[in-house]
Amino acid sequence: MAFSVVAVNRWPGIGAAALVAALVLGTLLAVVLRSEAGQSLGASDWAAVRFTMSQALVSAGLSVMLAIPVARALARRTFPGRSVLITLLGAPFILPVIVAVLGLLAVFGRNGWVSQGLESIGLPPVSIYGFHGVVLAHMFFNLPLATRLILQGWQDIPSERFRLAAQLGFDAKGIARLLEWPMLARVLPGAFAIVFAICLTSFAVALTLGGGPKATTIELAIYQAFRFDFDLGRAAFLSCLQMAIAGTAAVLALTVSSQTGFGRGFDRVTQRWDARSALTKLLDTLLILCAAMFLILPLTAVVLAGLPALFALPNSVYHAAFLSLSIALTSTVILLLLALPLAATIAQSRTGLTESIGFLSLAASPLVIGTGLFIVLFPLADPFALAVPVTALVNAVMALPFALRILVPGMRDVLGQYGPLAQTLGVQGLGIWRLLILPRLRPQIGFAAGLGAALSTGDLGVIALFADPQRATLPLQMYRLMGAYQMETAAAAGLLLVVLSLFLFWICDKGGRWRA
């Protein structure tokens, strides 16, 4: 790790770290203090714990298991559009969850394409609600993520290893035993842990496809205790439980994977002499097509269902869209105000304390932080009147780890390479930011801002706790339309939400790379 010789004022970064620590740890402390001492888990709470753990285990297991052959097929084949398909695998990360759920309903729901096909041949329709629906939705989001992680493992094997194996006469089984299985043993535990942690804290999927005594996650139980029963003590108790489980999973996800690899090669194009038979080509093609269809079909269904009603949306949807845009832009500004000084401080720090604080929100879900904020604000002000700033603030803090992951490496490079020159020229204070850091980090800043804006636009977490019946963001308005069985209007609102999310991501990312 290279440390810079130029001195960027660290106090703004330390102040940002203090604010993040106060928000995350302070709200968690409020939740702990509000939970009733001696309270134990009831039958419904145990059912929520079992459902949360079981759906996360099955979702993570199936996502990783199915991602292995897809990643292997992508690693062994080159074809036109391969890079586009690999880029598309990252789309579910910024896709609003509620839109993806609507697309899955259009394909796999009771009146969806699959059910209509089954009915045409005399078979009963399928139902997407419940355990299998939650698992299916989690697979839609996490199969691409697992594929990207495992594909990276395959690409990290130097091409010279495959060439040597071919020269020594190893067949497909031998290559799998010597190269592929050791790589998978290194990559799979980390991929499984990451997907498992994500599925544990998934709220919107459980809200739309779960529910009922047999399909309630801990986060959904927190929401029900909060919104329906207004039992803050039980909500706080469940938040402590969720915090313990999610925190353990996050720590596990960050530490479980081994760093031992195959070493570096000469970056030659990998050739697979063991995968030249017609049968392996056919199987790889089918796997890639199935994975692409699984991703594309729900999005296509939303577009087809939403286009006819797109220009006849009620005013409530446009009001919700305006509110979502306001929250997303505010959240993005807060995100950059926190992330940039924090990244500069982390880049100059020799300890990991500041960086650890920046990633603190990974151990807490938005719903738990929102519950803590409500408990803190309730005696002082009307929390529902503060829905917009609270949602923007929590969304910014939840996106902070991703922004730091984007900004910190570039910040270290800039300060390390240009720091001596800036010091020689006497550039310091705000001049370092104006002349050195901001111009050199524009692409990373634009990408981080776009990611934060897109994630905030599609969020259906904190706003579900704080919103009153007269006010809603676009994801919440979509959820209300779906609950009222206005599916065509909901699809049109979903299409508008996708356009807004992608536009915000594109304009920020494009702005950062413009003339860079």
Side-chain angles (χ1 to χ4, degrees):
M1 181 185 300
F3 294 96
S4 65
V5 297
V6 63
V8 176
N9 191 345
R10 302 186 187 194
W11 285 109
I14 294 173
L19 283 174
V20 173
L23 178 66
V24 178
L25 298 180
T27 51
L28 295 184
L29 179 63
V31 166
V32 171
L33 294 177
R34 188 64 177 79
S35 62
E36 298 172 4
Q39 188 170 358
S40 59
L41 294 174
S44 60
D45 300 329
W46 277 116
V49 172
R50 283 195 299 272
F51 184 81
T52 301
M53 298 296 291
S54 59
Q55 62 84 18
L57 283 170
V58 174
S59 299
L62 287 176
S63 297
V64 171
M65 188 173 65
L66 294 176
I68 295 173
V70 177
R72 190 188 195 200
L74 285 170
R76 296 197 301 193
R77 302 297 162 203
T78 57
F79 52 88
R82 178 179 178 273
S83 59
V84 175
L85 179 59
I86 292 175
T87 302
L88 187 64
L89 292 176
F93 188 73
I94 60 172
L95 185 70
V97 176
I98 191 73
V99 175
V101 169
L102 187 63
L104 290 171
L105 283 171
V107 177
F108 300 101
R110 192 171 185 82
N111 297 316
W113 297 348
V114 173
S115 290
Q116 290 176 10
L118 291 174
E119 286 179 335
S120 67
I121 57 176
L123 295 175
V126 295
S127 173
I128 197 175
Y129 293 99
F131 181 87
H132 53 284
V134 173
V135 170
L136 180 68
H138 282 159
M139 286 174 59
F140 175 81
F141 287 104
N142 296 304
L143 175 61
L145 172 63
T147 301
R148 288 284 293 262
L149 293 173
I150 298 171
L151 176 61
Q152 186 60 50
W154 248 293
Q155 291 174 335
D156 286 343
I157 302 176
S159 61
E160 290 77 13
R161 299 294 183 100
F162 289 107
R163 179 182 293 274
L164 180 60
Q167 289 173 341
L168 294 176
F170 285 99
D171 58 6
K173 290 183 179 178
I175 290 176
R177 179 169 54 85
L178 291 174
L179 296 178
E180 294 177 326
W181 284 113
M183 179 277 293
L184 290 174
R186 178 174 60 87
V187 172
L188 290 187
F192 178 87
I194 291 171
V195 174
F196 178 73
I198 292 173
C199 295
L200 276 180
T201 57
S202 169
F203 169 67
V205 169
L207 179 66
T208 48
L209 297 177
K214 295 182 179 178
T216 297
T217 61
I218 299 174
E219 295 236 328
L220 191 55
I222 296 171
Y223 173 74
Q224 290 169 346
F226 194 100
R227 293 293 295 191
F228 300 150
D229 306 327
F230 200 64
D231 187 347
L232 292 181
R234 183 166 181 266
F237 177 72
L238 291 170
S239 297
C240 291
L241 186 63
Q242 172 71 359
M243 184 175 58
I245 295 175
T248 304
V251 171
L252 185 67
L254 292 173
T255 58
V256 72
S257 59
S258 167
Q259 299 299 317
T260 304
F262 287 89
R264 297 186 62 84
F266 294 99
D267 296 330
R268 295 190 179 99
V269 176
T270 300
Q271 296 188 50
R272 297 295 301 268
W273 289 271
D274 59 311
R276 291 186 170 181
S277 69
L279 180 60
T280 56
K281 289 180 180 177
L282 177 63
L283 289 175
D284 286 349
T285 303
L286 287 176
L287 284 167
I288 292 170
L289 283 175
C290 288
M293 295 296 285
F294 184 59
L295 278 178
I296 294 171
L297 276 182
L299 302 181
T300 305
V302 172
V303 173
L304 293 179
L307 269 178
L310 183 61
F311 300 103
L313 286 169
N315 288 334
S316 59
V317 172
Y318 291 113
H319 291 158
F322 178 77
L323 185 61
S324 288
L325 275 177
S326 304
I327 291 176
L329 294 176
T330 307
S331 178
T332 304
V333 172
I334 297 173
L335 173 65
L336 293 181
L337 289 176
L338 292 173
L340 283 170
L342 202 50
T345 302
I346 292 171
Q348 299 176 99
S349 176
R350 294 178 183 274
T351 67
L353 178 61
T354 314
E355 188 168 11
S356 300
I357 294 174
F359 287 88
L360 203 58
S361 59
L362 287 177
S365 75
L367 218 62
V368 173
I369 294 178
T371 303
L373 276 174
F374 192 97
I375 292 171
V376 171
L377 294 173
F378 187 60
L380 306 173
D382 179 10
F384 298 109
L386 300 173
V388 172
V390 166
T391 303
L393 177 62
V394 176
N395 286 348
V397 172
M398 297 310 296
L400 185 60
F402 305 109
L404 290 177
R405 183 67 75 179
I406 296 167
L407 293 173
V408 169
M411 187 73 78
R412 284 184 174 134
D413 289 342
V414 168
L415 296 182
Q417 292 179 15
Y418 299 96
L421 178 60
Q423 190 180 42
T424 303
L425 297 174
V427 179
Q428 56 185 347
L430 291 177
I432 294 177
W433 286 94
R434 184 170 57 84
L435 299 174
L436 178 61
I437 296 176
L438 294 181
R440 302 298 303 181
L441 281 185
R442 268 180 45 204
Q444 291 88 342
I445 293 171
F447 183 55
L451 191 62
L455 290 177
S456 181
T457 307
D459 176 69
L460 180 60
V462 179
I463 192 66
L465 290 180
F466 282 78
D468 54 43
Q470 286 73 41
R471 186 164 42 180
T473 59
L474 196 47
L476 185 57
Q477 186 65 22
M478 266 192 70
Y479 174 68
R480 290 173 178 174
L481 289 169
M482 291 167 65
Y485 298 102
Q486 299 181 39
M487 303 306 287
E488 189 173 336
T489 308
L495 185 56
L496 179 62
L497 179 57
V498 171
V499 171
L500 288 179
S501 297
L502 295 181
F503 174 75
L504 285 176
F505 177 79
W506 176 81
I507 198 70
C508 293
D509 186 44
K510 184 75 174 176
R513 289 185 287 108
W514 187 62
R515 293 185 179 179

